[in-house]
Amino acid sequence: MAAYKPVVVQACPKLGEKITQDTLYWRGYKTPVQIKEFGAVNKIDFSPVPPYNYAVTASSRIHIYGRYSQEPIKTFSRFRDAAYCATYRDDGRLLAAGSEDGGIRLFDISGKAPLRQFEGHTKPVHVVGFLSDKYRIFSGGDDYSSNLWDIPSATEIISYSEHTDYVRCGCASKVNADVFITGSYDHTVKLFDARTKSSVMTIEHGHPVESVLLFPSGGLLVSAGGRYVKIWDVLKGGQLLVSLKNHHKTVTCLCLNSSGQRLLSGSLDRHVKIYSTTSYKVVHSFNYATSILSLALSPEDETIVVGMTNGVLNVKHRKPEEKNEKSQKKRQPAYRTYVKGRTYMPKQEDFCVSKPVKRVLRKYDKLLRSFQSSKALDAVLEPPIMLHTPEVTVAVMQELHRRGTLRSALAGRDEKQVNLLLTFVARRVIEPRFTPVLVTVADMITDIYQPVVGQSAIVDKQFLKLQEAIGKEIDYQEELLEVLGMMDTLFATFTKKKDTCLEENKSNGLTEIIETNRNY
């Protein structure tokens, strides 16, 4: 008796995500830790010095978290109303934040009470940052003004009132200690120099500006507003280099990785997109539960923190690198190594004994081997197989049809089993790889169960779904054939025109040659 050959399942290529170095790198984070804050998280800022704690601004409090702590290690709560935009100084010792009452507070990380309070704005202050000389602070508020403050004397140095709407974002240059940038809901980004009395550059973004970012070199500026992320060349007078539109809703925050080679953007569409700063193409993306308001990446890319509108803080830590050198026991040499030596190769007169490989059959193969056709079909109609590997179900149906036992396997089923069969056929019959087999199955089911049509509402509903699916597919095929006919006509017309042109060129060439010969 010949050995049983298992059912051959047709392998179809899967259109999956292309695995790149960026995919592997950004997937190297652990399962996120969720921390609940008191309100929407409007700002996250990492300390630039070890141990890289981060400040989270939400509601009327600023919480300082350690990189691996799930509880705040310090809290600043000296605010009467909402706090905004808590930002570290470059040395990590001071923290500045704006507030709903228009005041700016400066905190020492080792203390609790504010070191300085700056009063001058008449409306909420949403933007606060340090200039790179560490002794001045810039701010922007809902009173349309952008101010510069002196830390030692707690006085206002200069105030710019050039924006015509709320100032909601800003950043300072790390190259020039006098330059800072603000973005406003009046659709503009303005570059200020503390040595002048007005802005030195105005860039029109085209949408309310939610976030701005300067590259470490100071030559490129990134602005985010609406669905757009735009990159500008500051050294060329604010020339637009690239406009990116990869989000479906408003982009709210921007961030650079430690090397400056990847740009991250967060949006209200619940996605964080990661772009290459050389090609400005999306190399990876993260999906979150709710809309994103703030985003920060630790200086060594070890931690990525995202703040959302529902007050949840999502923290991801990078997985530790696995050690390549694993302590494994040395494998003992085979017996023949001792007898024949490590380099011995079998000769022609040697008799080689091979160990037979035991073949493990699947459940449906065992049932088919014992000619239990109905049970084999039941085995592949289980939900996990039908949903995740429908090619296995279709392969067994094809094998039963080849044996001539498909009709008997389909017959004699109750209402629940017929419903399951029709559900599978109606869903998969329109897939080109399954159509030839499932059309035959649908014909057989219709012939077998036609007498009982009208006795079960569930079965009747499935038959109607099958009819609708096949009808739609026929309509699509007819439309495709019409389009194909149009394309054939166009291609034929182009070919005729090309042939006519070639013939004209040839005839013109012949005429020219004849005329030339006559002249001679």
Side-chain angles (χ1 to χ4, degrees), residues 141-327:
D142 287 356
D143 56 1
Y144 311 164
S145 67
S146 306
N147 296 359
L148 196 64
W149 310 85
D150 180 60
I151 294 176
S153 61
T155 57
E156 181 184 291
I157 299 172
I158 191 171
S159 177
Y160 303 95
S161 300
E162 297 190 19
H163 286 291
T164 57
D165 208 333
Y166 300 156
V167 181
R168 287 297 173 92
C169 55
C171 63
S173 171
K174 294 184 179 180
V175 179
N176 191 324
D178 294 307
V179 173
F180 67 96
I181 293 168
T182 58
S184 168
Y185 279 5
D186 62 5
H187 301 192
T188 63
V189 177
K190 291 186 180 289
L191 188 146
F192 296 97
D193 190 324
R195 295 164 293 189
T196 63
K197 294 183 179 180
S198 61
S199 62
V200 294
M201 186 184 297
T202 300
I203 295 171
E204 183 68 35
H205 179 81
H207 297 270
V209 183
E210 298 284 351
S211 182
V212 290
L213 179 69
L214 263 177
F215 275 67
S217 63
L220 295 179
L221 169 69
V222 187
S223 63
R227 295 169 55 191
Y228 293 88
V229 175
K230 296 184 179 182
I231 292 88
W232 312 84
D233 191 336
V234 178
L235 302 179
K236 289 185 178 180
Q239 179 184 344
L240 178 64
L241 297 180
V242 186
S243 179
L244 307 171
K245 189 181 178 183
N246 297 96
H247 288 282
H248 302 296
K249 291 184 180 179
T250 301
V251 183
T252 55
C253 48
L254 297 169
C255 175
L256 275 174
N257 75 333
S258 56
S259 65
Q261 295 179 353
R262 295 293 180 266
L263 172 67
L264 287 76
S265 65
S267 167
L268 296 179
D269 64 4
R270 304 183 295 108
H271 287 87
V272 171
K273 304 282 184 183
I274 303 169
Y275 308 88
S276 166
T277 54
T278 52
S279 63
Y280 293 106
K281 292 182 178 178
V282 176
V283 295
H284 194 68
S285 64
F286 292 111
N287 189 15
Y288 289 88
T290 55
S291 300
I292 297 166
L293 283 182
S294 51
L295 165 71
L297 198 61
S298 67
E300 296 177 353
D301 296 350
E302 291 294 323
T303 308
I304 180 170
V305 186
V306 171
M308 291 173 273
T309 53
N310 61 353
V312 171
L313 201 64
N314 186 294
V315 185
K316 290 182 180 179
H317 299 289
R318 183 165 291 284
K319 297 174 184 175
E321 294 182 2
E322 296 180 358
K323 294 181 180 179
N324 293 327
E325 299 176 1
K326 294 181 180 179
S327 56

Side-chain angles (χ1 to χ4, degrees), residues 441-453:
V441 174
D443 285 341
M444 288 187 180
I445 293 173
T446 307
D447 290 341
I448 294 167
Y449 296 100
Q450 188 177 2
V452 297
V453 171

Side-chain angles (χ1 to χ4, degrees), residues 4 7 9 41 62 76 79 138 196 206 245 256 263 348 361 401 433 450 458 484:
Y4 171 79
V7 174
V9 179
V41 181
I62 301 170
F76 297 103
F79 295 92
F138 71 91
T196 63
K245 189 181 178 183
L256 275 174
L263 172 67
Q348 191 173 359
L361 295 177
H401 183 57
R433 54 179 178 160
Q450 188 177 2
I458 297 173
L484 189 62

Side-chain angles (χ1 to χ4, degrees), residues 86 231 410 438 440:
I231 292 88
L410 292 171
L438 293 183
T440 305

Side-chain angles (χ1 to χ4, degrees), residues 39-56:
V41 181
N42 62 73
K43 175 71 175 179
I44 303 166
D45 193 49
F46 271 93
S47 172
V49 296
Y52 304 124
N53 297 333
Y54 56 94
V56 177

